[in-house]
Amino acid sequence: MRRVEPFGEAAEEVSSLREVLAKCPGVKAVKSIEPHSKGGYLAVMDFSMDDLDQYIEHLEKAGWMNVL
């Protein structure tokens, strides 16, 4: 989910999130990004848990938050 508004159009948001995730530590491949039923997006990716802290930090700096 985005941390701050404006959120933009869905296609623009997915593109932005895909760019951020592609540069995140631990992300090896982004397989899909779909709207989540409760808001935000569900991203399916190949990910290394070894880099979890850096991954969360990168998302936060880019204006996104990870919600489990």
Side-chain angles (χ1 to χ4, degrees), residues 8-28:
E9 297 295 320
E12 180 184 338
E13 288 226 319
V14 169
S15 177
S16 173
L17 180 55
R18 187 176 297 279
E19 277 184 42
V20 169
L21 290 174
K23 297 175 185 174
C24 269
V27 176
K28 304 203 184 315

Side-chain angles (χ1 to χ4, degrees), residues 1-64:
M1 295 183 79
R2 286 268 196 185
R3 279 238 173 249
V4 269
E5 294 184 45
F7 297 128
E9 297 295 320
E12 180 184 338
E13 288 226 319
V14 169
S15 177
S16 173
L17 180 55
R18 187 176 297 279
E19 277 184 42
V20 169
L21 290 174
K23 297 175 185 174
C24 269
V27 176
K28 304 203 184 315
V30 178
K31 294 183 175 188
S32 67
I33 300 174
E34 302 294 329
H36 190 280
S37 62
K38 293 184 178 181
Y41 296 93
L42 173 65
V44 177
M45 56 193 145
D46 290 333
F47 180 75
S48 169
M49 290 297 288
D50 294 339
D51 297 310
L52 181 60
D53 291 337
Q54 296 91 341
Y55 162 82
I56 292 171
E57 183 179 329
H58 181 87
L59 280 180
E60 292 284 331
K61 284 182 181 176
W64 290 87

